[in-house]
Amino acid sequence: MAISGAHFTWIRSPDMSAPPPRIFLTREAVLADSIRAYVQVADPALKLSSAEEHRASIQAMLGERPAGGDVWLFAYGSLMWNPLIHSIERRVAAVRGFHRRFCLWTHLGRGTTERPGLTLALEPGGVCRGIAYRIAEAAAAAELELVWRREMLTGAYRPRWLKLTTAEEPLHAIGFVVNRRHARYAGRLAEAEVVAALAEANGPLGSCAAYLFDAVSHLEALGVHDRQLIRLRDKVVARIGGAGEAPPDTA
């Protein structure tokens, strides 16, 4: 079976033993629902949220926003280096009461059924620094629909309004917190298990190692030194025996 999208074609082999070609997560691919098409074929049993459910969720979020005007979106993982959305401003921001953690299993994006990977989500406690993107009010609903198609396909995250601090002023932004009831939720894993998954897992969106290295490098470019991510990076580098370099990611 072949699935053709804006930027990839995936042919499903009868035994699924061969990994699919690399998928580049672009604005065009998400808008064309290519990611949804891939997931539906790769795991037909997986329940995906519909476009109608996405729009209803977005409208509910916008209806609950603390203030009118432009809408802010908080990025702490791959949205930092590949946001896809059209924004009019970005700021370094921090949210207190949450921290980023590799706590979501992935067997489709950055892993396989045989070797699942891990991706980041927000967990309660601590502080998390990242990027806040400002989306023009007139474009907010349409731009957020793109984000929902990317982040909210399976319900592994819960969107909520977060209070952020920035150098300019405090603000409220939409952020994605882990859904602890989801089947992909990994909980608090031993560090050795996290390092093994990050070092070994690789899927159509790229490797978990590249995801980790990108997170660290982009945070450092912002002047943010996430000690836990740096520790994981160093352990992953030691495990894979490389120089800590990986092909640039776009996902």
Side-chain angles (χ1 to χ4, degrees), residues 107-144:
H107 66 286
L108 295 177
R110 294 182 179 272
T112 62
T113 302
E114 294 74 22
R115 197 350 146 191
L118 287 166
T119 56
L120 292 166
L122 286 182
E123 286 261 49
V127 61
C128 178
R129 292 174 175 83
I131 297 174
Y133 293 101
R134 182 160 67 100
I135 306 170
E137 183 176 22
E143 293 302 309
L144 290 176

Short mmCIF file of all heavy atoms in Angstrom, two decimals, residues 107-144:
data_model
loop_
_atom_site.label_atom_id
_atom_site.label_comp_id
_atom_site.label_asym_id
_atom_site.label_seq_id
_atom_site.Cartn_x
_atom_site.Cartn_y
_atom_site.Cartn_z
N HIS A 107 6.49 4.85 18.76
CA HIS A 107 6.84 3.70 17.92
C HIS A 107 6.61 3.99 16.44
O HIS A 107 6.79 3.12 15.60
CB HIS A 107 6.04 2.46 18.33
CG HIS A 107 4.57 2.58 18.08
ND1 HIS A 107 3.74 3.36 18.86
CD2 HIS A 107 3.77 2.01 17.14
CE1 HIS A 107 2.50 3.28 18.41
NE2 HIS A 107 2.49 2.47 17.37
N LEU A 108 6.21 5.23 16.15
CA LEU A 108 5.94 5.61 14.77
C LEU A 108 6.85 6.74 14.30
O LEU A 108 7.41 6.70 13.21
CB LEU A 108 4.48 6.03 14.60
CG LEU A 108 3.43 4.94 14.82
CD1 LEU A 108 2.02 5.53 14.69
CD2 LEU A 108 3.62 3.81 13.83
N GLY A 109 6.99 7.79 15.10
CA GLY A 109 7.76 8.95 14.66
C GLY A 109 9.25 8.77 14.75
O GLY A 109 9.98 8.82 13.75
N ARG A 110 9.76 8.54 15.96
CA ARG A 110 11.20 8.42 16.19
C ARG A 110 11.56 7.08 16.79
O ARG A 110 12.50 6.96 17.58
CB ARG A 110 11.69 9.57 17.08
CG ARG A 110 11.56 10.91 16.41
CD ARG A 110 12.09 12.04 17.27
NE ARG A 110 11.96 13.30 16.56
CZ ARG A 110 12.88 13.79 15.73
NH1 ARG A 110 13.99 13.11 15.53
NH2 ARG A 110 12.70 14.94 15.12
N GLY A 111 10.82 6.08 16.41
CA GLY A 111 11.10 4.73 16.87
C GLY A 111 10.29 3.73 16.07
O GLY A 111 9.60 4.10 15.11
N THR A 112 10.38 2.49 16.47
CA THR A 112 9.63 1.42 15.82
C THR A 112 8.97 0.58 16.91
O THR A 112 9.24 0.75 18.10
CB THR A 112 10.55 0.52 14.99
OG1 THR A 112 11.51 -0.11 15.87
CG2 THR A 112 11.30 1.33 13.93
N THR A 113 8.12 -0.34 16.49
CA THR A 113 7.50 -1.24 17.46
C THR A 113 8.56 -2.05 18.18
O THR A 113 8.48 -2.29 19.39
CB THR A 113 6.51 -2.19 16.74
OG1 THR A 113 5.53 -1.39 16.06
CG2 THR A 113 5.81 -3.10 17.74
N GLU A 114 9.59 -2.46 17.43
CA GLU A 114 10.66 -3.26 18.03
C GLU A 114 11.56 -2.43 18.93
O GLU A 114 12.06 -2.93 19.94
CB GLU A 114 11.52 -3.90 16.93
CG GLU A 114 10.79 -4.92 16.07
CD GLU A 114 9.81 -4.29 15.08
OE1 GLU A 114 9.98 -3.08 14.77
OE2 GLU A 114 8.87 -4.98 14.65
N ARG A 115 11.77 -1.15 18.59
CA ARG A 115 12.62 -0.28 19.40
C ARG A 115 11.95 1.08 19.52
O ARG A 115 12.25 2.01 18.77
CB ARG A 115 14.00 -0.16 18.78
CG ARG A 115 15.15 0.37 19.67
CD ARG A 115 14.71 0.90 20.96
NE ARG A 115 15.65 0.67 22.04
CZ ARG A 115 15.34 0.90 23.30
NH1 ARG A 115 14.13 1.29 23.65
NH2 ARG A 115 16.23 0.68 24.25
N PRO A 116 10.98 1.22 20.45
CA PRO A 116 10.33 2.52 20.62
C PRO A 116 11.31 3.58 21.10
O PRO A 116 12.28 3.29 21.81
CB PRO A 116 9.26 2.23 21.69
CG PRO A 116 9.11 0.75 21.72
CD PRO A 116 10.44 0.20 21.34
N GLY A 117 11.04 4.80 20.68
CA GLY A 117 11.83 5.92 21.16
C GLY A 117 11.08 6.69 22.23
O GLY A 117 9.99 6.29 22.65
N LEU A 118 11.65 7.80 22.64
CA LEU A 118 11.03 8.67 23.64
C LEU A 118 11.04 10.11 23.15
O LEU A 118 12.01 10.54 22.51
CB LEU A 118 11.79 8.60 24.97
CG LEU A 118 11.62 7.32 25.80
CD1 LEU A 118 12.69 7.26 26.88
CD2 LEU A 118 10.23 7.27 26.43
N THR A 119 9.97 10.83 23.43
CA THR A 119 9.91 12.25 23.11
C THR A 119 9.56 13.04 24.36
O THR A 119 9.13 12.49 25.37
CB THR A 119 8.89 12.54 21.99
OG1 THR A 119 7.61 12.04 22.39
CG2 THR A 119 9.30 11.89 20.69
N LEU A 120 9.74 14.34 24.27
CA LEU A 120 9.55 15.22 25.42
C LEU A 120 8.09 15.60 25.63
O LEU A 120 7.32 15.71 24.68
CB LEU A 120 10.37 16.50 25.23
CG LEU A 120 11.88 16.36 25.28
CD1 LEU A 120 12.55 17.63 24.75
CD2 LEU A 120 12.35 16.07 26.70
N ALA A 121 7.75 15.81 26.89
CA ALA A 121 6.46 16.38 27.26
C ALA A 121 6.66 17.15 28.55
O ALA A 121 7.70 17.02 29.22
CB ALA A 121 5.41 15.29 27.43
N LEU A 122 5.68 17.96 28.90
CA LEU A 122 5.73 18.69 30.17
C LEU A 122 5.12 17.85 31.28
O LEU A 122 4.01 17.34 31.15
CB LEU A 122 4.98 20.01 30.07
CG LEU A 122 5.62 21.15 29.28
CD1 LEU A 122 4.73 22.39 29.33
CD2 LEU A 122 7.02 21.49 29.80
N GLU A 123 5.86 17.73 32.38
CA GLU A 123 5.41 17.06 33.58
C GLU A 123 5.31 18.09 34.71
O GLU A 123 6.04 19.09 34.71
CB GLU A 123 6.41 15.97 33.98
CG GLU A 123 6.40 14.73 33.12
CD GLU A 123 5.61 13.61 33.77
OE1 GLU A 123 4.47 13.87 34.20
OE2 GLU A 123 6.14 12.48 33.83
N PRO A 124 4.43 17.87 35.69
CA PRO A 124 4.32 18.81 36.81
C PRO A 124 5.61 18.89 37.62
O PRO A 124 6.33 17.91 37.79
CB PRO A 124 3.18 18.23 37.65
CG PRO A 124 2.39 17.40 36.71
CD PRO A 124 3.38 16.82 35.76
N GLY A 125 5.89 20.09 38.13
CA GLY A 125 7.03 20.32 39.00
C GLY A 125 8.19 21.00 38.32
O GLY A 125 8.47 20.75 37.14
N GLY A 126 8.86 21.86 39.04
CA GLY A 126 10.08 22.48 38.52
C GLY A 126 9.82 23.68 37.63
O GLY A 126 8.81 24.39 37.78
N VAL A 127 10.74 23.90 36.69
CA VAL A 127 10.63 25.03 35.77
C VAL A 127 11.13 24.58 34.40
O VAL A 127 12.00 23.72 34.30
CB VAL A 127 11.45 26.24 36.28
CG1 VAL A 127 12.92 25.87 36.41
CG2 VAL A 127 11.27 27.45 35.39
N CYS A 128 10.55 25.14 33.36
CA CYS A 128 10.94 24.79 31.99
C CYS A 128 11.11 26.08 31.19
O CYS A 128 10.21 26.93 31.18
CB CYS A 128 9.88 23.90 31.34
SG CYS A 128 10.25 23.47 29.62
N ARG A 129 12.24 26.18 30.51
CA ARG A 129 12.51 27.34 29.65
C ARG A 129 12.44 26.93 28.20
O ARG A 129 12.87 25.83 27.83
CB ARG A 129 13.87 27.95 29.98
CG ARG A 129 13.91 28.61 31.34
CD ARG A 129 15.30 29.08 31.74
NE ARG A 129 15.24 29.81 33.00
CZ ARG A 129 15.24 29.24 34.21
NH1 ARG A 129 15.29 27.91 34.30
NH2 ARG A 129 15.18 29.96 35.30
N GLY A 130 11.89 27.80 27.38
CA GLY A 130 11.75 27.52 25.96
C GLY A 130 11.47 28.79 25.20
O GLY A 130 11.98 29.87 25.55
N ILE A 131 10.64 28.69 24.17
CA ILE A 131 10.32 29.83 23.31
C ILE A 131 8.81 30.05 23.30
O ILE A 131 8.03 29.10 23.20
CB ILE A 131 10.80 29.58 21.87
CG1 ILE A 131 12.32 29.45 21.82
CG2 ILE A 131 10.35 30.70 20.93
CD1 ILE A 131 12.85 29.05 20.46
N ALA A 132 8.41 31.31 23.40
CA ALA A 132 7.02 31.70 23.24
C ALA A 132 6.86 32.36 21.88
O ALA A 132 7.59 33.31 21.56
CB ALA A 132 6.58 32.64 24.35
N TYR A 133 5.94 31.85 21.07
CA TYR A 133 5.65 32.42 19.75
C TYR A 133 4.34 33.20 19.83
O TYR A 133 3.34 32.70 20.36
CB TYR A 133 5.49 31.32 18.71
CG TYR A 133 6.75 30.55 18.40
CD1 TYR A 133 6.98 29.29 18.95
CD2 TYR A 133 7.72 31.07 17.54
CE1 TYR A 133 8.14 28.58 18.67
CE2 TYR A 133 8.88 30.37 17.24
CZ TYR A 133 9.08 29.13 17.81
OH TYR A 133 10.22 28.43 17.52
N ARG A 134 4.35 34.40 19.26
CA ARG A 134 3.12 35.21 19.21
C ARG A 134 2.47 35.05 17.83
O ARG A 134 3.10 35.30 16.80
CB ARG A 134 3.43 36.68 19.48
CG ARG A 134 2.17 37.57 19.48
CD ARG A 134 2.40 38.87 20.22
NE ARG A 134 3.35 39.74 19.56
CZ ARG A 134 3.01 40.79 18.79
NH1 ARG A 134 1.73 41.06 18.56
NH2 ARG A 134 3.95 41.54 18.24
N ILE A 135 1.22 34.64 17.83
CA ILE A 135 0.45 34.43 16.60
C ILE A 135 -0.59 35.53 16.50
O ILE A 135 -1.32 35.80 17.47
CB ILE A 135 -0.24 33.05 16.62
CG1 ILE A 135 0.77 31.94 16.90
CG2 ILE A 135 -0.97 32.80 15.31
CD1 ILE A 135 0.13 30.59 17.18
N ALA A 136 -0.66 36.18 15.36
CA ALA A 136 -1.64 37.25 15.17
C ALA A 136 -3.05 36.72 15.42
O ALA A 136 -3.40 35.61 15.01
CB ALA A 136 -1.53 37.82 13.75
N GLU A 137 -3.84 37.51 16.11
CA GLU A 137 -5.18 37.07 16.50
C GLU A 137 -6.01 36.61 15.30
O GLU A 137 -6.70 35.58 15.36
CB GLU A 137 -5.91 38.21 17.23
CG GLU A 137 -7.29 37.82 17.73
CD GLU A 137 -7.94 38.93 18.53
OE1 GLU A 137 -7.55 40.11 18.34
OE2 GLU A 137 -8.86 38.63 19.32
N ALA A 138 -5.91 37.33 14.18
CA ALA A 138 -6.72 36.99 13.01
C ALA A 138 -6.34 35.63 12.43
O ALA A 138 -7.17 34.97 11.79
CB ALA A 138 -6.56 38.07 11.94
N ALA A 139 -5.11 35.21 12.65
CA ALA A 139 -4.64 33.94 12.09
C ALA A 139 -4.60 32.81 13.12
O ALA A 139 -4.25 31.67 12.78
CB ALA A 139 -3.25 34.13 11.49
N ALA A 140 -4.95 33.11 14.36
CA ALA A 140 -4.74 32.16 15.45
C ALA A 140 -5.44 30.83 15.24
O ALA A 140 -4.83 29.76 15.39
CB ALA A 140 -5.17 32.78 16.78
N ALA A 141 -6.71 30.85 14.90
CA ALA A 141 -7.46 29.59 14.77
C ALA A 141 -6.85 28.70 13.69
O ALA A 141 -6.67 27.49 13.89
CB ALA A 141 -8.93 29.88 14.46
N ALA A 142 -6.50 29.29 12.55
CA ALA A 142 -5.95 28.51 11.45
C ALA A 142 -4.55 27.98 11.79
O ALA A 142 -4.22 26.82 11.51
CB ALA A 142 -5.88 29.35 10.18
N GLU A 143 -3.72 28.81 12.41
CA GLU A 143 -2.37 28.37 12.77
C GLU A 143 -2.40 27.30 13.86
O GLU A 143 -1.62 26.34 13.84
CB GLU A 143 -1.51 29.56 13.21
CG GLU A 143 -1.21 30.55 12.11
CD GLU A 143 -0.50 29.91 10.92
OE1 GLU A 143 0.52 29.24 11.13
OE2 GLU A 143 -0.97 30.09 9.79
N LEU A 144 -3.31 27.45 14.81
CA LEU A 144 -3.41 26.45 15.87
C LEU A 144 -3.94 25.12 15.33
O LEU A 144 -3.58 24.05 15.84
CB LEU A 144 -4.32 26.95 17.00
CG LEU A 144 -3.75 28.09 17.84
CD1 LEU A 144 -4.78 28.57 18.85
CD2 LEU A 144 -2.46 27.65 18.55
#
